[in-house]
Amino acid sequence: MISQHIPVMSSEAIEALNVRDNLDYIDVTFGGGGYSEEILKKANCNLLSIDRDPTVKNFAKKLKVKYKKRFTFVNDDFENLESIIKENNKTLVSGGIVADLGVSSFQLDNAERGFSFNKDGPLDMRMSGKGVTAQELISNLDEKELARILWDYGDEEKSRAIAKMIIKERNREVLDTTFKLVKLIKRVKKSDHKRKNHPATKSFQALRIATNQEFKSLEKLLMISKKILLPGARLVLITFHSLEDRIVKFFFNEISGKQENLNRHLPQVIRTKKVKFKVINKKPLVPGNAEIMSNKRARSAKLRVVERVEI
């Protein structure tokens, strides 16, 4: 059974977005439509929602019936945001942009999508249903590149050992299901008694990020947002792991003129010329205990906000 998706930090995100009448907003991670509907209910504004996952179209249809011309949905990757808004007769955004960068419950709870290490299914992990699957990724990468992905995208301490085991085992059988991969990872990490999380957590995160090229999409979203936001418009981003949050944090620091701690080894996206932005919350907002108790997937969420003050 696929559970209902509960939007994380919904009230905080909508408040941070500062939704007002007669302005244009973009929800670049539509999902089940949680943020989108709250935005449309909050004010008499216009909303463009985007999601690369084609399975969410039915949720979008329901909002279209209810909000008609005020709501538009596009099934695409948010890295194409600039061309998407042009196709919808916009060039600049007056209200703001919101993104929840996590995996939705619809994706995690559907075993056929291959996102969860707790459910047995095809090792897919594609959010769009298109392109290279996670299975194809681990079947074709060499050991060094596979280890790099596990380390860079998952902070997996045993990245080399897991990569070595994958290469060894894929020559014996096709690693085509989530549980086959989980079993292999458990063999490598069987002596790790101190872990709090599932032993496959970091590897699955890394493979999902690589399969969907999530960092590339995030970097493009940041650069495009910097170009298209008008004064007063805000960018609200919710991240779910330290690697994403680091990219967002340093980008916000750079565009707001706060240069300390910038790392020259971080992605090129954050090393841009200064523009007139201000960070709204100096420290990221995090969910309260009540929300974490009712929705455990919210526990690692961090919300950051930046606002354009001048062109």
Side-chain angles (χ1 to χ4, degrees), residues 11-228:
S11 59
E12 293 91 338
I14 302 307
E15 182 180 351
L17 196 57
N18 193 24
V19 181
R20 292 158 288 165
D21 290 341
N22 303 316
L23 297 181
D24 295 319
Y25 294 87
I26 303 177
D27 177 359
V28 299
T29 51
F30 178 74
Y35 292 154
S36 287
E37 184 154 28
E38 290 302 315
I39 291 168
L40 291 163
K41 284 162 58 176
K42 184 78 172 179
N44 184 28
C45 59
N46 298 307
L47 177 68
L48 169 65
S49 292
I50 301 165
D51 203 297
R52 68 166 93 177
D53 190 336
T55 67
V56 306
K57 289 180 181 179
N58 286 335
F59 299 109
K61 287 178 182 177
K62 291 178 182 178
L63 285 193
K64 186 65 177 178
V65 169
K66 190 172 182 180
Y67 293 99
K68 299 179 174 61
K69 291 184 179 180
R70 290 210 290 130
F71 174 68
T72 302
F73 174 77
V74 177
N75 180 208
D76 202 345
D77 191 322
F78 59 60
E79 71 173 47
N80 301 317
L81 178 58
E82 196 165 16
S83 61
I84 291 169
I85 64 170
K86 286 180 181 178
E87 289 168 5
N88 285 272
N89 302 314
K90 302 285 183 184
T91 53
L92 299 170
V93 178
S94 56
I97 299 168
V98 63
D100 172 344
L101 299 172
V103 183
S104 74
S105 296
F106 309 122
Q107 294 165 336
L108 280 171
D109 294 339
N110 185 345
E112 294 300 310
R113 303 297 298 274
F115 286 99
S116 176
F117 43 74
N118 289 317
K119 298 179 184 295
D120 196 19
L123 195 57
D124 193 314
M125 296 194 187
R126 296 171 300 171
M127 291 181 177
S128 66
K130 300 176 182 176
V132 175
T133 66
Q135 177 194 333
E136 291 171 322
L137 208 62
I138 66 171
S139 296
N140 295 305
L141 292 178
D142 62 35
E143 184 177 331
K144 184 178 180 180
E145 180 62 12
L146 190 52
R148 184 195 67 78
I149 286 173
L150 296 175
W151 174 255
D152 286 354
Y153 298 163
D155 278 338
E156 174 52 70
E157 298 90 343
K158 296 190 176 180
S159 57
R160 292 180 180 177
I162 292 172
K164 186 175 183 178
M165 180 69 79
I166 288 173
I167 300 299
K168 179 182 177 182
E169 292 301 313
R170 79 185 188 188
N171 292 326
R172 297 181 179 180
E173 66 170 334
V174 179
L175 299 175
D176 56 355
T177 70
T178 52
F179 276 11
K180 284 183 181 179
L181 183 58
V182 168
K183 184 179 179 181
L184 183 155
I185 293 169
K186 284 182 174 179
R187 285 169 57 189
V188 175
K189 303 186 76 172
K190 61 184 178 181
S191 61
D192 187 356
H193 301 298
K194 296 181 181 180
R195 60 176 178 267
K196 294 180 180 179
N197 297 324
H198 190 287
T201 299
K202 293 181 176 182
S203 293
F204 268 62
Q205 172 188 298
L207 290 174
R208 190 202 78 223
I209 290 171
T211 298
N212 295 286
Q213 299 185 56
E214 292 177 32
F215 287 173
K216 174 188 172 188
S217 293
L218 174 57
E219 290 170 13
K220 285 189 175 181
L221 173 64
L222 293 173
M223 294 304 293
I224 294 167
S225 297
K226 185 174 73 100
K227 290 172 58 179
I228 66 177

Side-chain angles (χ1 to χ4, degrees), residues 240-289:
F240 289 84
H241 56 79
S242 60
L243 301 170
E244 277 179 340
D245 184 61
R246 195 180 306 153
I247 293 173
V248 173
K249 174 186 175 181
F250 281 87
F251 179 77
F252 280 12
N253 282 350
E254 199 281 334
I255 64 174
S256 65
K258 185 179 179 181
Q259 290 289 314
E260 62 263 32
N261 298 323
L262 286 184
N263 187 323
R264 61 189 176 87
H265 298 298
L266 283 169
Q268 180 66 34
V269 63
I270 68 165
R271 300 193 296 275
T272 56
K273 293 181 180 179
K274 292 190 188 72
V275 289
K276 305 282 185 171
F277 282 85
K278 68 176 180 180
V279 173
I280 301 300
N281 52 329
K282 292 183 179 180
K283 293 185 177 180
L285 301 179
V286 296
N289 290 331

Side-chain angles (χ1 to χ4, degrees), residues 5-16:
H5 178 66
I6 304 171
V8 173
M9 301 181 72
S10 178
S11 59
E12 293 91 338
I14 302 307
E15 182 180 351

